Amino acid sequence: MFNLLVTGQREVWKNREYIYPRSRFLEYTDEKILKKFKNLTDKNISELKSFPCLFMYELKNDSKNDVYLGFLKNIKERENGTNLLIEFEIDFDVNISLDDILKLSEYLDIRKWEKYRTHWAIKDDDLLTRLVDNSIINIQKKEELIERINNRLKELIQIKENKYLTDKRNEDGKVSSLRGFINKVLDFDGKDESEIFYRGHSDKDKYKLEPSLFRKDIKGNYLYLENEDKLYKELIATNPSEFMTDNSTIDILMRMQHYSLPTRLLDITSNPLIALYFACKSNIDKKGEIVIFNIKKDFIKYSDSDTVSCIANLVKLPKQEKDRIDFTLVKEDFNQQSSIKRLLHLIKEEKSFFEPKIEPDDLKKIICIKGKKNNDRISSQSGSFLLFGLDSIFQEGGGIEDISISRILIEDKEKILKELDLLNINESTVFPYIENSAKYVANKFKFK
């Protein structure tokens, strides 16, 4: 295997350290490898450091694209797990041309879009052998690089699990009855400065705390993210009447979420019984879970929030414009970027009074939104949402700075569904449409 490290920041590989957003780690990485390395234990870090590294710059027309060979010296968590600091060493005596790598890209599993995107992927190929076989480096250089890597991996002996970079789930017990669940929920009473929200997963090992827009296939490719703006515009173009009463982009996104279009929104609820129903309604043979969010009140917004408008309107920017946003600039220069000027224009279309200044960090936040009860489904499910900004990612183990999470394991789903039905929590009430009511009634009186 090898690490593929790509950045859009010129000359950065001439330094000895670089920071990646955690959300860009393991992009374009096969699912099997992703599952293995998503938990950054000491053991996994040491294994990553044992892989050779290919350092590249995003393909751009305005400058040459150097390619380097080297290895990682260290990996550290930064900003409560939202960023990863890598320390590295490059062998500048090795000359690798971009053309060499492009010719081998199919064999190295370097895919089309990742050449244009800042990210850190892990590829299942023997990079050094591939370079030797194609006369890009000689055998002596390969052996030299392997020896240098091995000399830095003595910590592989008697490794202890890292307590801070692990992504283990914080499970707070398990329940197999409605009574047991309610007792657990009452133990999670929110403090005065926070509110509690819930989300149900019918398969605790399958579903992640990520919006549908961020989902990937088994090869690690984003299914929808590359075409976010097209998804948004196409649905409005084909069904304009559905959105005539929506006054803002976030209102439109909430309705699109209701119709199952992939968006930056993740459904949550203030009603724990609704979350329990979703944890039990499908995958009956799988263990479910309830994710409990303890969210600081300052982090809870409404649809008229300026921060919400900033993040929501990202949906209208094409991928290339979003990728060009440079978050390393100071605020004044940040707002002079063409992509940000375009975003400001989109915001002012719905908020003419909006001051033309965006806080860079606001575009990368995850915030809670209490949605308008403008459709029966949001109302019946006590629905709210988490809105994900650029490169936002939830640490599955402990949440983020202003949103902490805990989990309850759910077993004996059929029993719990029957108990929920006694409280009138069922398909007919959770999905208040006549087709769902008909399905519920038919099943209720079906001969058994």
Side-chain angles (χ1 to χ4, degrees), residues 132-165:
V132 169
D133 291 345
N134 287 272
S135 302
I136 298 172
I137 64 173
N138 57 41
I139 294 177
Q140 290 75 17
K141 177 57 69 175
K142 172 185 174 181
E143 293 175 347
E144 177 188 328
L145 285 168
I146 292 174
E147 182 179 1
R148 290 170 66 185
I149 291 173
N150 288 338
N151 286 339
R152 296 184 175 273
L153 294 176
K154 294 181 180 179
E155 72 267 21
L156 276 171
I157 301 174
Q158 295 181 343
I159 289 172
K160 295 181 179 179
E161 290 292 321
N162 188 310
K163 296 180 180 179
Y164 303 103
L165 287 180

Side-chain angles (χ1 to χ4, degrees), residues 374-412:
N374 57 358
N375 70 59
D376 292 339
R377 182 169 172 176
I378 292 179
S379 180
S380 64
Q381 297 178 10
S382 302
S384 294
F385 305 91
L386 293 177
L387 175 62
F388 284 63
L390 286 176
D391 297 324
S392 298
I393 187 171
F394 240 122
Q395 298 300 327
E396 294 285 340
I400 58 177
E401 184 176 358
D402 296 290
I403 306 177
S404 62
I405 61 175
S406 300
R407 286 178 160 87
I408 299 175
L409 194 64
I410 305 299
E411 298 179 337
D412 205 346

Side-chain angles (χ1 to χ4, degrees), residues 14 35 93 103 120 138 156 192 239 340 376 392 426:
K14 294 183 179 179
K35 287 181 177 179
D93 293 331
K103 290 176 183 177
W120 172 4
N138 57 41
L156 276 171
D192 291 340
N239 300 272
I340 297 301
D376 292 339
S392 298
N426 52 52

Side-chain angles (χ1 to χ4, degrees), residues 2 50 76 164 176 181 235 382:
F2 71 95
S50 73
K76 300 177 182 177
Y164 303 103
S176 56
F181 175 70
L235 191 59
S382 302

Side-chain angles (χ1 to χ4, degrees), residues 329 331-341 344 356:
L329 300 174
K331 182 178 177 180
E332 184 176 344
D333 294 338
F334 179 85
N335 281 277
Q336 293 304 310
Q337 298 178 90
S338 60
S339 296
I340 297 301
K341 287 183 177 180
L344 285 166

Side-chain angles (χ1 to χ4, degrees), residues 75-282:
I75 303 169
K76 300 177 182 177
E77 186 183 47
R78 288 291 183 265
E79 297 184 31
N80 205 31
T82 59
N83 291 324
L84 293 176
L85 169 68
I86 60 169
E87 298 172 0
F88 56 88
E89 187 171 319
I90 287 176
D91 189 335
F92 289 103
D93 293 331
V94 178
N95 295 314
I96 303 177
S97 72
L98 176 63
D99 286 340
D100 289 334
I101 299 303
L102 293 181
K103 290 176 183 177
L104 295 174
S105 59
E106 183 176 352
Y107 303 104
L108 295 172
D109 190 28
I110 300 176
R111 305 163 205 173
K112 178 181 177 182
W113 282 112
E114 60 182 314
K115 303 167 191 172
Y116 303 90
R117 181 171 172 83
T118 294
H119 71 288
W120 172 4
I122 303 174
K123 301 297 185 179
D124 189 12
D125 194 75
D126 187 340
L127 173 66
L128 298 183
T129 299
R130 187 78 65 184
L131 296 180
V132 169
D133 291 345
N134 287 272
S135 302
I136 298 172
I137 64 173
N138 57 41
I139 294 177
Q140 290 75 17
K141 177 57 69 175
K142 172 185 174 181
E143 293 175 347
E144 177 188 328
L145 285 168
I146 292 174
E147 182 179 1
R148 290 170 66 185
I149 291 173
N150 288 338
N151 286 339
R152 296 184 175 273
L153 294 176
K154 294 181 180 179
E155 72 267 21
L156 276 171
I157 301 174
Q158 295 181 343
I159 289 172
K160 295 181 179 179
E161 290 292 321
N162 188 310
K163 296 180 180 179
Y164 303 103
L165 287 180
T166 56
D167 201 24
K168 293 180 179 178
R169 297 182 171 219
N170 180 24
E171 291 181 357
D172 193 79
K174 58 184 178 182
V175 298
S176 56
S177 69
L178 179 57
R179 186 187 301 275
F181 175 70
I182 291 175
N183 289 336
K184 283 285 186 184
V185 166
L186 293 177
D187 291 337
F188 284 94
D189 186 24
K191 299 178 180 179
D192 291 340
E193 67 274 12
S194 65
E195 289 189 36
I196 302 293
F197 295 86
Y198 310 87
R199 178 175 171 83
H201 290 157
S202 61
D203 185 343
K204 75 177 188 67
D205 296 320
K206 177 180 179 181
Y207 296 109
K208 303 176 183 178
L209 292 176
E210 63 182 10
S212 53
L213 185 70
F214 294 177
R215 290 176 184 164
K216 303 173 185 176
D217 63 17
I218 60 173
K219 297 290 288 182
N221 300 305
Y222 284 109
L223 294 170
Y224 310 107
L225 187 60
E226 315 286 359
N227 296 303
E228 180 183 16
D229 62 316
K230 296 182 179 66
L231 291 171
Y232 177 86
K233 295 171 184 176
E234 185 72 16
L235 191 59
I236 293 176
T238 54
N239 300 272
S241 61
E242 293 289 343
F243 305 99
M244 291 182 62
T245 61
D246 296 319
N247 299 317
S248 65
T249 304
I250 190 60
D251 290 339
I252 294 174
L253 286 176
M254 288 179 181
R255 195 175 300 279
M256 289 178 170
Q257 179 79 357
H258 165 71
Y259 289 123
S260 300
L261 188 81
T263 74
R264 292 180 173 273
L265 295 170
L266 183 71
D267 295 280
I268 57 177
T269 176
S270 57
N271 187 336
L273 299 184
I274 295 295
L276 182 61
Y277 173 80
F278 279 105
C280 296
K281 70 180 287 286
S282 57

Side-chain angles (χ1 to χ4, degrees), residues 3-18:
N3 294 295
L4 175 65
L5 300 118
V6 184
T7 179
Q9 296 184 34
R10 293 301 166 188
E11 308 299 323
V12 75
W13 297 138
K14 294 183 179 179
N15 302 324
R16 291 185 177 275
E17 58 185 20
Y18 181 65

